[in-house]
């Protein structure tokens, strides 16, 4: 804390809210130029101002002499990992650029308006970046970055909800009025995680929101542990588009415990501990590679996150917007998932493969596949009774001998595959009917 140091630890939404509030204050005071508003700069505005007419690597007119070690030319203009003593510093102490702007390199990295994307291949006017995306642009490097990130052209990015770090801040622009894009990816935005061995993992962005968890008393197949209650999820998260498949599990863990082998089949016969170890190892890999968003980790979804994503806004027993017509065999269930009557009976008794490649059945409204049937999916929570009133960000019982498993499997009847159906298993026991789906969520 120091009133003269740059503000840090800033979510992008906090930076844009600052701009909006300052616009209100100045407009009410009659000091705001007509047709102007306070905003974050676009990436192009930022680099144009940073360079101040220079074409060299650094805005001082000099070049880097080192990318990761000590660089005297960077030391003149920026606080970076070699001179910062691992902290921010009072603004304006280093050499400004030719237009009088300070700390455009180092100290804290600065949010820009744009989504991160590839640059255009031809000349453009007033670019604002891609229309949608996953990551927002950060520019300028920071006190914890190498000398190479002090370059005027160096680009960085992060999830807009990542700000719990003392290396992220912002700079205000006063610009001609324009609509501010949303701070979060839109629901259904996708991201591809590159795993070892050239294996990819697709994830879908899930916006925060409120929904009714559980089932109405007249739902066919309902059980007594599905008491309806309001749940609010205050933070968005990413969820696997598909269940984790065997190729992905092998890429991270080096083993494949599945009973029914196939690279594009869901991994199964994994305990809750196995699934958590996969998440922990992937978090390590992505953190070491510098690809893990600050404040996020790979984990299992909570039971509330799972049901919210499964329902995708529906209140029916299936996420297709339809209800069951029978508790055992049901055509509506056949549309959305693999269960006993379309995947299990003949295969099981003939000793054949009972699982199926992911993504063959109808997806839900948010683009998620196999939330019904296929294999049951481990959740983070200990199994316990639902709360009696509305809650925010629930994480289940404090302790239990069992962990929650959701979605039903190839070995279940239709009623066990409903959006609200709850199951549980001992943490250290695997089953050919149980796998998991990956979440990328804020660290608890």
């Amino acid at each position: 804390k120091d009133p003269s140091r740059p503000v840090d630890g800033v979510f992008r939404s906090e930076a844009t809210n600052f701009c909006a509030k300052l616009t209100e204050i100045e407009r009410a005071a009659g000091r705001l130029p007509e047709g102007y508003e306070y905003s974050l700069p676009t990436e192009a505005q930022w680099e144009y101002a940073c360079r101040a007419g220079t074409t060299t690597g650094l805005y001082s007119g000099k070049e880097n002499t080192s990318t990761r070690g000590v660089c005297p030319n960077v030391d003149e203009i920026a606080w970076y990992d070699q001179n910062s003593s691992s902290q921010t510093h009072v603004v304006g102490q280093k050499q400004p650029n030719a237009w009088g702007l300070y700390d455009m390199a180092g100290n804290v990295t600065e949010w820009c308006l744009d989504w991160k994307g590839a640059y255009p291949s031809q000349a453009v006017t007033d670019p604002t970046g891609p229309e949608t995306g996953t990551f927002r642009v950060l520019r300028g490097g920071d006190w914890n970055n190498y000398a190479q990130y002090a370059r005027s052209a160096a680009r960085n990015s992060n999830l807009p909800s990542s700000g719990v770090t003392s290396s992220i801040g912002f700079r205000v622009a006063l610009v001609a009025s324009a609509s501010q894009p949303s701070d979060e990816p839109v629901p259904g935005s996708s991201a591809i995680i590159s795993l070892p061995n050239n294996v990819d993992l697709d994830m879908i962005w899930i916006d925060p929101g409120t929904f009714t968890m559980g089932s109405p008393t007249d739902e066919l197949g309902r059980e007594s542990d599905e008491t309806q209650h309001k749940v609010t999820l205050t933070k968005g998260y990413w969820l696997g588009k598909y269940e984790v498949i065997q190729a992905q599990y092998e890429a991270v863990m080096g083993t494949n415990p599945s009973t029914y082998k196939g690279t594009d089949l869901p991994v199964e016969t994994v305990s809750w501990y196995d699934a958590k170890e996969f998440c922990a190892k992937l978090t390590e890999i992505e953190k070491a590679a510098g690809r893990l968003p600050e404040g996020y980790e790979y984990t299992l979804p909570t039971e509330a996150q799972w049901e919210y994503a499964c329902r995708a806004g529906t209140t029916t027993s299936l996420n297709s917007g339809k209800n069951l017509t029978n508790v055992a065999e049901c055509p509506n269930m056949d549309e959305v998932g693999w269960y006993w009557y379309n995947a299990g009976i003949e295969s099981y008794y003939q000793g054949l493969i009972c699982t199926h490649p992911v993504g063959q059945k109808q997806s839900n409204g948010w683009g998620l596949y196999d939330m019904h049937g296929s294999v049951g999916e481990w959740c983070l929570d200990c199994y316990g009774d639902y709360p009696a009133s509305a809650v925010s960000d629930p994480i289940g019982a404090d302790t239990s001998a069992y962990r929650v498993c959701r979605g039903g499997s190839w070995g279940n009847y239709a009623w066990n595959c409903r959006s609200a159906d709850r199951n549980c298993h001992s943490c250290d026991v695997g089953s050919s009917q149980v796998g998991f789906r990956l979440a990328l969520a804020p660290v608890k």
Side-chain angles (χ1 to χ4, degrees):
K1 304 289 188 185
D2 184 328
S4 298
R5 295 193 191 202
V7 67
D8 61 62
V10 182
F11 293 105
R12 187 180 176 281
S13 59
E14 292 172 326
T16 55
N17 286 344
F18 176 96
C19 296
K21 287 187 176 182
L22 182 58
T23 297
E24 283 182 19
I25 292 169
E26 293 301 279
R27 184 172 287 149
R31 293 189 293 260
L32 191 68
E34 185 68 27
Y36 276 71
E37 66 184 1
Y38 290 96
S39 172
L40 298 177
T42 66
E43 186 179 17
Q45 288 171 339
W46 188 96
E47 187 171 331
Y48 176 66
C50 173
R51 288 189 175 279
T54 60
T55 57
T56 48
L58 304 175
Y59 60 68
S60 59
K62 300 179 180 179
E63 301 288 352
N64 282 56
T65 56
S66 171
T67 57
R68 296 201 169 192
V70 175
C71 179
N73 292 344
V74 170
D75 187 77
E76 293 175 349
I77 63 171
W79 298 107
Y80 68 118
D81 70 334
Q82 297 294 318
N83 67 1
S84 68
S85 300
S86 299
Q87 60 182 301
T88 61
H89 290 261
V90 172
V91 298
Q93 297 187 83
K94 293 292 184 178
Q95 177 183 310
N97 72 4
W99 292 350
L101 298 167
Y102 290 82
D103 300 302
M104 295 294 283
N107 220 359
V108 292
T109 190
E110 301 172 17
W111 285 116
C112 290
L113 198 63
D114 312 38
W115 289 111
K116 178 71 178 292
Y119 280 160
S121 57
Q122 56 192 15
V124 290
T125 300
D126 296 328
T128 57
E131 291 184 1
T132 62
T134 301
F135 299 94
R136 292 286 190 178
V137 172
L138 288 164
R139 295 299 297 262
D142 61 67
W143 59 263
N144 196 35
N145 274 153
Y146 301 130
Q148 69 186 75
Y149 291 102
R151 294 176 300 112
S152 300
R155 307 177 75 200
N156 209 338
S157 64
N158 214 330
L159 289 173
S161 53
S162 294
V164 189
T165 168
S166 55
S167 63
I168 297 180
F170 66 104
R171 187 180 300 260
V172 173
L174 178 60
V175 298
S177 297
S179 60
Q180 294 275 346
S182 169
D183 286 331
E184 300 285 12
V186 296
S189 294
S190 61
I192 297 177
I193 311 303
S194 297
L195 305 181
N197 302 332
N198 296 316
V199 176
D200 289 337
L201 190 153
D202 295 283
M203 304 197 82
I204 301 290
W205 174 255
I206 309 298
D207 253 3
T210 299
F211 76 111
T212 300
M213 191 170 181
S215 62
T217 55
D218 61 350
E219 185 168 292
L220 195 62
R222 183 184 192 271
E223 296 188 273
S224 60
D225 62 352
E226 299 171 16
T227 304
Q228 286 192 311
H229 58 292
K230 286 284 186 188
V231 172
T232 298
L233 299 176
T234 62
K235 295 184 182 298
Y237 55 101
W238 296 87
L239 192 65
K241 185 176 183 178
Y242 312 101
E243 294 155 333
V244 172
I245 62 173
Q246 293 172 35
Q248 294 162 347
Y249 192 86
E250 286 187 27
V252 174
M253 302 292 284
T255 60
N256 182 2
S258 302
T259 301
Y260 304 112
K261 294 291 197 286
T263 56
D264 59 350
L265 300 180
V267 69
E268 25 86 2
T269 319
V270 288
S271 70
W272 184 86
Y273 293 114
D274 293 332
K276 282 289 288 177
E277 187 179 358
F278 176 95
C279 297
K281 285 194 173 183
L282 183 56
T283 297
E284 278 182 22
I285 291 169
E286 292 298 287
K287 187 178 290 182
R291 294 188 295 260
L292 189 69
E294 188 72 31
Y296 277 68
E297 66 183 355
Y298 290 98
T299 183
L300 298 175
T302 65
E303 186 177 14
Q305 288 172 334
W306 189 96
E307 186 170 327
Y308 175 65
C310 173
R311 289 189 175 279
T314 61
T315 57
T316 47
S317 59
L318 300 175
N319 61 25
S320 59
K322 299 180 181 180
N323 286 305
L324 297 185
T325 56
N326 187 284
V327 294
E329 186 174 9
C330 175
N332 293 342
M333 176 59 203
D334 188 75
E335 294 174 353
V336 295
W338 298 105
Y339 72 122
W340 187 240
Y341 285 96
N342 66 6
I345 297 176
E346 293 184 7
S347 298
Y348 183 76
Y349 288 117
Q350 294 178 30
L352 302 174
I353 291 178
C354 294
T355 55
H356 290 259
V358 298
Q360 294 188 327
K361 293 293 184 176
Q362 176 182 309
S363 68
N364 73 2
W366 292 350
L368 299 165
Y369 289 84
D370 302 305
M371 299 292 283
H372 299 301
S374 189
V375 292
E377 301 178 16
W378 286 115
C379 292
L380 197 61
D381 312 40
C382 287
Y383 178 80
D385 293 334
Y386 278 159
S389 57
V391 290
S392 294
D393 301 319
I395 56 173
D398 289 340
T399 60
S400 171
Y402 302 96
R403 294 282 178 169
V404 173
C405 192
R406 297 296 298 263
S409 75
W410 61 263
N412 286 138
Y413 291 158
W415 66 278
N416 279 131
C417 300
R418 294 171 299 114
S419 298
D421 188 75
R422 308 178 73 201
N423 207 335
C424 62
H425 295 280
S426 176
C427 297
D428 54 0
V429 176
S431 162
S432 62
Q433 297 183 44
V434 178
F436 66 102
R437 187 179 302 260
L438 190 67
L440 177 59
V443 175
K444 298 287 184 187

